[in-house]
Amino acid sequence: MKKNEIFLKDYKSPDFKFNSVHLVFDIEDESALVSSTIECVRLSDQETALVLHGKELELTKVLIDDVELSRDAYEVDPQKLIIKNTPESFKLEIVTNINPYKNLSGEGLYKSGKILCTQCEAEGFRRITYFLDRPDVLTKYSTKIIADKKEYPVLLSNGDLTEAGELDGGRHFATWNDPFNKPSYLFALVAGDLALVQDTYTTKSGKQVSLDFYVDPGNEDKCFHAIESLKNSMKWDEDTFGLEYDLNTYMVVAVDSFNMGAMENKGLNIFNSAYVLAKKETATDDDFMGIESVIGHEYFHNWTGNRVTCRDWFQLTLKEGLTVFRDQEFSADMLSRPVKRIEDVIALKAHQFVEDAGPLSHPIKPKSFVEINNFYTSTIYEKGAEVIRMIHTILGKDNFRKGMDLYFKRHDGHAVTTEDFIGAMADASGVDLKQFMAWYDQNGTPTIDIKYTYDEKLGKVVFSFHQKAKTNNEEFKSLHIPLKYTLYSKNGEIIGPEGNLFELKNEINTLEFEGLSELPMLSINEGFTAPVHIKFHGDLNNSLFMMKHCKDTFNKFNATQNVLESEILRISKIKKPKNSDVNLEVIEAYKNIYLDESLDLSFKVMALSIPGLKEINDRLEKFEFENLKSAVNVFKSAIGDALEDEALKVIQNFNLEKDYEYNAQLIGERSFALLSYRLLAYTKNNTYSEIMKKAYYGATNMTVEFGLLSMLLNYFPEETEKESKHFYNKWKHETLVIQKWLKLNAQLESTDTSKISELELLPVYDEKIPNLVRSLIGAFMRFNFWNFHAEDGSGYEFIKEQIIKIDNINPQIAAGITRGLNFKNKHTGNRKDKIIGVLKSLTQNDSLSSDVQEIAQINLK
Ligand code: BES
Ligand code: ZN
């Protein structure tokens, strides 16, 4: 057991109920006075002491039923307040003094730029006032904010504005009232000089909702896409799940300093500005897509998270997994369903599969944690969403909808568990989901071994499926795994039904077919219906076949990627490989996809993207360096040479001046043109760098401008210093654009730790702003495989120093960086010793936060 470890099995319901809370924030120049008045009811006869959570708080006074308590009636320290003897029902008043100006943690009340804002999930409310800061304590909030009118003309909190007015001394106030019960983690407050961009939405039942977007003055012209995305989200949730918005106003505030992407506070979302602000000149297609999905995500939380919330933080996937599933489905309906599915699985494999294969592996419903902030993981989110998707696959769309309806009917206004969710799904559909629950409790990515026997005389094939996984549980419980499949003849025709569902439930199950004239090819886990590894045995290994013939978009993509990766791995075993070592059949199949006009352009770009050193290493048992790096380069060069003429044609027909629009067709055209430029860059031929430079200067949107800059810097580094400077000077006043430039520089092969230190000194960089730290330090770790893993360990040492420095400012961000040091077991030799040394010194450094220590400890496993 670790220090301060909290266990799910120890859950106890609260001893007190809060009927209402009224908050008053008196914001001064150097601090803020917070008074909280709570109507309390004691639920237990045995337990009469009320133990409230706090963090770094300074208590001014405490009153019960208007009488100030004497000093011996309570115990207090910065982390808790204990009221020793409470009556059955009473009014509790607590006054605390906090300093938002010195708070750099990104939790509680803090300053972002010139704006004061809050972040309360998961346990940030306790940095504002002493409270039962746990998600199963729901109550009604009213909030009065008092502040200087010039500095903070806009004062916002959850719900409806009920009163506002002037006060003496240039001050003013606003009072907000939220009619819905909510847990403290959904509380929000914003005060600042903000510009308002407004729109309206009329719900299905005819209610007018005001959509109020607050941004820094000057950014008003970058809100239209976020607003459009919000309207689309509202319509989508009505159409798909019958769910309407429930308040009169939906507010979104964009701030530059934010630990996460965005936060779903009731009626008052707070967003990292990167997920609100966009126009074609400053944001890429990927940025536009990110905004659509994050706006959708936070909006969808209003029902899955806010109206029905989590009983405790072990249930986090109840709201996050389900809401990620909902935002994925929403984005699929907005642009292209098959393309979105591929993107989501790419992300799942890059983050969650890697996490699940390393020391941080945990089930989507963890059994214990030390620091809850460390459990906002890819597993809770992305695997959590896959688990919901499997339920959707097993139940079917209509039964899934019935299950959601029942879930809201039973649990609206309550704090519930994942069992409650599964219970509603099972009861509404009549499908038994008992075995399915193991997905919640068991970590590890399952592998399914597929073998076959074929009887030529009878024309009978028997496929056998064997599931297993490395798990921390005492024994591996067989999972309920839905797999879609199709059979193909050797000449690529579908035989039998397409996309049938096979449900693997036992450790070993078989699937038989008779009356065949030849051994069929099996396309399994189509659409990636289950988050598993598939391992074919015998001559079932059919990637090249599926790359050419598969009709399921996902499996065609997956097969193509497998072919490219296996070919690169094969080349990596050759001493001094040359272009002519690359298998011509692979090149031919690659070219056929590139030229196939029946295929979606975005699909082609994803399928034909050549896996890099980092991606391949993520999947290997042990890291490989030099040989793998040259194999990737040889493969790229061979592909570039083979497709040169075709790629040149594509870019000659690409109209750089074409008006920017956000839709699947044009996004596809832009990314296919960029792929084509990239193929030319692989040839390393200087005539192409000249063409690319011309196109770069002529670009009229950020997608093309940044796409080309990125290729120039990656493939022609010696001759593109000028373009890099040009970009920097053009955009140095737009922090979101500079973040892209930093990220690009951080991953270049020429960028070692001393170059990163130089970049840190630029005036655009500020280690107090999480986005900038992620763009420089985070990107170096995640994308600069070569220099980060430098053999002398200098990359690890550098990151250690950064962690120590950033932990002093913001432990959550420092823990996020520490998370990337999770590869100890993938090394041998010197690098292994070095990374162990760094992790040990982090765990032994007592001045570091528990956030960092917990992760460093786990990474030492
Ligand atoms: N509730 C979270 C934000 C959050 C998590 C705040 C942890 C504080 C601590 C929010 O709904 C969320 O999940 N945001 C994601 C983006 C989303 C599209 C997956 C994020 O911020 O990364
Ligand atoms: Zn969320």
Side-chain angles (χ1 to χ4, degrees):
M1 196 170 120
K2 289 175 254 169
K3 202 169 99 193
N4 301 327
E5 193 168 7
I6 300 165
F7 292 85
L8 166 61
K9 64 174 167 44
D10 296 339
Y11 173 81
K12 253 185 83 228
S13 62
D15 294 323
F16 289 80
K17 187 172 133 203
F18 292 172
N19 284 331
S20 67
V21 54
H22 178 64
L23 300 164
V24 180
F25 287 80
D26 196 343
I27 296 168
E28 305 275 356
D29 290 346
E30 310 220 310
S31 65
L33 211 58
V34 183
S35 94
S36 158
T37 308
I38 312 171
E39 294 294 340
C40 304
V41 178
R42 177 156 53 78
L43 301 171
S44 146
D45 288 337
Q46 289 92 24
E47 200 47 76
T48 60
L50 170 58
V51 183
L52 299 173
H53 304 111
K55 192 159 187 183
E56 296 171 25
L57 286 176
E58 184 191 318
L59 181 70
T60 305
K61 59 179 175 180
V62 47
L63 298 82
I64 282 190
D65 294 328
D66 298 317
V67 180
E68 187 162 352
L69 292 190
S70 63
R71 194 54 197 82
D72 56 356
Y74 62 91
E75 283 172 29
V76 70
D77 65 39
Q79 326 297 330
K80 63 181 173 310
L81 170 63
I82 304 175
I83 319 274
K84 287 180 187 161
N85 265 307
T86 56
E88 253 180 54
S89 116
F90 55 101
K91 183 173 90 181
L92 175 65
E93 203 181 330
I94 299 166
V95 183
T96 48
N97 189 20
I98 57 178
N99 189 342
Y101 309 101
K102 288 219 173 115
N103 176 8
L104 298 168
S105 67
E107 287 183 312
L109 182 66
Y110 70 98
K111 199 152 191 198
S112 165
K114 292 182 179 165
I115 309 165
L116 280 178
C117 66
T118 53
Q119 172 54 41
C120 294
E121 187 178 3
E123 297 178 338
F125 193 75
R126 62 185 66 183
R127 288 174 174 268
I128 294 172
T129 182
Y130 291 102
F131 203 74
L132 282 179
D133 189 16
R134 44 188 283 174
D136 57 353
V137 174
L138 308 182
T139 188
K140 288 198 173 60
Y141 287 69
S142 59
T143 306
K144 181 174 182 178
I145 313 164
I146 307 164
D148 182 75
K149 190 167 181 182
K150 236 170 99 198
E151 210 167 335
Y152 302 111
V154 175
L155 304 174
L156 309 172
S157 190
N158 316 83
D160 300 307
L161 180 68
T162 52
E163 217 193 331
E166 310 286 318
L167 297 167
D168 291 345
R171 291 164 70 75
H172 70 150
F173 76 95
T175 306
W176 293 81
N177 186 53
D178 182 355
F180 290 94
N181 273 320
K182 67 165 175 284
S184 51
Y185 83 86
L186 291 173
F187 171 79
L189 175 154
V190 171
D193 183 5
L194 290 154
L196 171 60
V197 182
Q198 240 174 351
D199 208 326
T200 59
Y201 177 81
T202 307
T203 68
K204 197 172 62 169
S205 64
K207 188 166 98 168
Q208 278 247 347
V209 180
S210 181
L211 313 179
D212 297 357
F213 280 64
Y214 291 92
V215 296
D216 280 334
N219 282 332
E220 292 91 328
D221 64 340
K222 301 195 195 94
C223 295
F224 63 93
H225 179 65
I227 294 178
E228 202 53 37
S229 302
L230 178 57
K231 289 189 202 167
N232 289 337
S233 308
M234 295 174 104
K235 174 83 170 60
W236 185 88
D237 221 9
E238 291 175 353
D239 293 347
T240 316
F241 291 110
L243 298 170
E244 273 186 54
Y245 187 58
D246 52 11
L247 283 164
N248 303 313
T249 315
Y250 194 93
M251 294 177 275
V252 171
V253 180
V255 302
D256 286 331
S257 276
F258 201 70
N259 281 351
M260 303 284 289
M263 178 63 208
E264 70 266 24
N265 318 301
K266 184 79 187 185
L268 176 55
N269 287 184
I270 298 179
F271 269 62
N272 187 322
S273 55
Y275 293 108
V276 177
L277 304 177
K279 56 179 180 182
K280 67 165 182 160
E281 290 83 2
T282 59
T284 62
D285 289 339
D286 284 341
D287 297 330
F288 275 79
M289 287 187 246
I291 290 171
E292 184 169 78
S293 85
V294 181
I295 287 272
H297 180 96
E298 306 312 334
Y299 176 71
F300 302 139
H301 267 316
N302 192 51
W303 279 94
T304 49
N306 301 4
R307 289 287 289 255
V308 182
T309 197
C310 299
R311 188 192 71 174
D312 53 74
W313 292 120
F314 296 100
Q315 321 294 329
L316 185 57
T317 200
L318 172 79
K319 77 174 176 84
E320 293 303 348
L322 178 54
T323 305
V324 170
F325 170 74
R326 277 151 57 67
D327 84 52
Q328 290 176 346
E329 286 295 289
F330 164 64
S331 295
D333 287 338
M334 292 297 111
L335 289 174
S336 153
R337 179 162 287 274
V339 168
K340 175 66 179 158
R341 185 63 189 139
I342 296 172
E343 287 166 355
D344 290 338
V345 178
I346 292 174
L348 178 82
K349 290 189 177 176
H351 310 136
Q352 202 278 326
F353 277 26
V354 175
E355 183 169 273
D356 226 350
L360 268 159
S361 173
H362 56 279
I364 64 169
K365 182 168 180 157
K367 294 165 185 63
S368 75
F369 60 72
V370 173
E371 175 52 61
I372 178 58
N373 285 327
N374 285 337
F375 270 88
Y376 285 76
T377 61
S378 176
T379 296
I380 307 284
Y381 274 70
E382 296 175 85
K383 185 173 180 181
E386 292 302 317
V387 168
I388 302 293
R389 184 175 296 280
M390 285 190 282
I391 298 174
H392 188 271
T393 303
I394 292 168
L395 266 55
K397 183 164 159 261
D398 295 343
N399 272 331
F400 187 84
R401 169 65 196 268
K402 281 189 204 151
M404 290 289 277
D405 290 349
L406 184 59
Y407 175 63
F408 294 120
K409 192 168 155 221
R410 282 181 181 170
H411 304 299
D412 185 13
H414 294 102
V416 305
T417 61
T418 54
E419 285 82 358
D420 292 322
F421 177 80
I422 298 291
M425 284 288 156
D427 292 349
S429 64
V431 176
D432 182 351
L433 293 173
K434 271 191 216 79
Q435 184 191 356
F436 190 85
M437 279 310 288
W439 279 106
Y440 282 84
D441 299 318
Q442 200 158 266
N443 67 313
T445 307
T447 295
I448 301 176
D449 282 303
I450 305 180
K451 296 182 181 155
Y452 75 96
T453 57
Y454 181 62
D455 182 331
E456 209 161 328
K457 266 193 237 121
L458 296 172
K460 180 175 167 186
V461 68
V462 180
F463 293 109
S464 84
F465 297 80
H466 184 174
Q467 56 166 309
K468 49 182 182 251
K470 269 194 213 137
T471 169
N472 303 340
N473 293 20
E474 268 150 39
E475 53 170 333
F476 175 70
K477 275 198 238 150
S478 291
L479 294 160
H480 178 175
I481 303 174
L483 298 165
K484 278 210 169 131
Y485 69 92
T486 301
L487 294 189
Y488 285 83
S489 70
K490 287 263 160 33
N491 60 8
E493 309 273 314
I494 292 179
I495 28 182
E498 193 175 343
N500 261 15
L501 189 64
F502 167 60
E503 297 182 44
L504 174 60
K505 292 185 175 171
N506 299 332
E507 189 184 350
I508 300 177
N509 274 140
T510 57
L511 190 58
E512 306 182 5
F513 301 92
E514 289 186 49
L516 301 164
S517 52
E518 59 179 6
L519 171 70
M521 298 301 259
L522 174 65
S523 165
I524 190 81
N525 206 15
E526 295 196 321
F528 209 68
T529 41
V532 297
H533 296 294
I534 299 286
K535 203 164 154 200
F536 284 108
H537 292 260
D539 45 2
L540 274 179
N541 195 345
N542 55 9
S543 293
L544 195 56
F545 175 89
M546 290 298 166
M547 175 179 179
K548 291 178 191 164
H549 300 295
C550 193
K551 306 271 190 300
D552 176 69
T553 327
F554 179 80
N555 269 6
K556 189 180 180 81
F557 156 81
N558 197 41
T560 306
Q561 287 289 301
N562 287 342
V563 167
L564 305 186
E565 188 165 314
S566 321
E567 182 60 7
I568 292 171
L569 286 170
R570 188 186 66 80
I571 298 167
S572 74
K573 307 279 181 303
I574 302 172
K575 245 196 203 146
K576 297 228 171 102
K578 311 175 287 306
N579 285 12
S580 57
D581 287 319
V582 181
N583 182 344
L584 287 177
E585 205 184 346
V586 171
I587 294 182
E588 206 47 39
Y590 188 101
K591 195 170 184 172
N592 286 340
I593 291 186
Y594 183 77
L595 295 175
D596 187 339
E597 287 184 0
S598 73
L599 295 172
D600 179 284
L601 294 174
S602 296
F603 166 82
K604 293 201 218 184
V605 173
M606 292 184 297
L608 299 180
S609 141
I610 298 173
L613 187 60
K614 148 94 180 143
E615 291 156 278
I616 299 177
N617 268 315
D618 273 348
R619 289 184 276 270
L620 293 179
E621 196 79 12
K622 296 276 179 210
F623 282 155
E624 289 191 20
F625 291 89
E626 286 78 8
N627 295 345
L628 190 54
K629 185 175 164 217
S630 11
V632 170
N633 289 338
V634 165
F635 188 73
K636 284 182 175 174
S637 163
I639 290 286
D641 288 351
L643 277 85
E644 192 172 349
D645 297 343
E646 287 77 9
L648 204 51
K649 260 185 233 137
V650 171
I651 65 152
Q652 278 159 354
N653 290 326
F654 178 66
N655 179 4
L656 275 174
E657 319 271 278
K658 196 164 176 176
D659 278 351
Y660 181 92
E661 253 184 79
Y662 177 76
N663 62 48
Q665 176 61 29
L666 291 184
I667 291 171
E669 286 179 18
R670 284 186 287 269
S671 68
F672 194 64
L674 288 172
L675 167 70
S676 307
Y677 276 110
R678 199 154 71 225
L679 294 174
L680 294 174
Y682 291 160
T683 66
K684 298 269 174 95
N685 177 336
N686 294 31
T687 38
Y688 298 130
S689 65
E690 290 311 313
I691 294 179
M692 283 162 62
K693 282 183 195 174
K694 219 169 132 221
Y696 163 78
Y697 288 111
T700 54
N701 62 67
M702 185 51 74
T703 307
V704 173
E705 181 173 339
F706 186 71
L708 287 166
L709 181 74
S710 159
M711 271 176 245
L712 283 166
L713 294 189
N714 273 297
Y715 295 99
F716 302 98
E718 290 87 20
E719 37 176 314
T720 46
E721 187 82 352
K722 189 170 143 232
E723 282 65 33
S724 183
K725 287 221 171 83
H726 166 264
F727 189 92
Y728 179 85
N729 285 321
K730 181 173 170 191
W731 295 113
K732 61 182 174 225
H733 301 298
E734 288 275 358
T735 183
L736 295 176
V737 181
I738 283 300
Q739 285 161 26
K740 297 181 205 307
W741 182 87
L742 288 170
K743 223 177 269 177
L744 167 58
N745 276 281
Q747 55 84 51
L748 293 176
E749 212 180 299
S750 58
T751 300
D752 54 13
T753 54
S754 65
K755 175 76 187 178
I756 297 283
S757 303
E758 273 171 43
L759 292 166
E760 271 187 278
L761 297 175
L762 288 173
V764 292
Y765 187 75
D766 179 350
E767 66 195 15
K768 293 193 192 66
I769 297 179
N771 283 7
L772 289 166
V773 176
R774 282 187 281 256
S775 301
L776 189 63
I777 311 302
F780 174 73
M781 278 180 87
R782 287 198 291 143
F783 307 120
N784 199 330
F785 195 84
W786 194 251
N787 291 302
F788 172 49
H789 294 289
E791 198 166 8
D792 60 1
S794 55
Y796 308 152
E797 274 301 318
F798 176 79
I799 291 299
K800 182 184 95 182
E801 296 307 320
Q802 288 286 340
I803 290 170
I804 295 170
K805 188 162 70 163
I806 293 160
D807 193 45
N808 239 324
I809 302 168
N810 186 327
Q812 266 186 58
I813 300 299
I817 300 176
T818 315
R819 197 178 285 279
L821 303 177
N822 61 348
F823 43 78
K824 182 197 97 191
N825 299 325
K826 299 190 79 163
H827 277 320
T828 46
N830 194 37
R831 288 185 177 95
K832 182 164 189 153
D833 300 340
K834 295 281 180 192
I835 188 63
I836 291 176
V838 161
L839 287 167
K840 276 203 176 134
S841 98
L842 288 173
T843 55
Q844 287 158 7
N845 185 337
D846 284 337
S847 60
L848 291 176
S849 66
S850 66
D851 305 55
V852 166
Q853 291 207 354
E854 180 184 23
I855 303 278
Q857 202 101 54
I858 296 173
N859 280 342
L860 258 177
K861 272 206 300 210

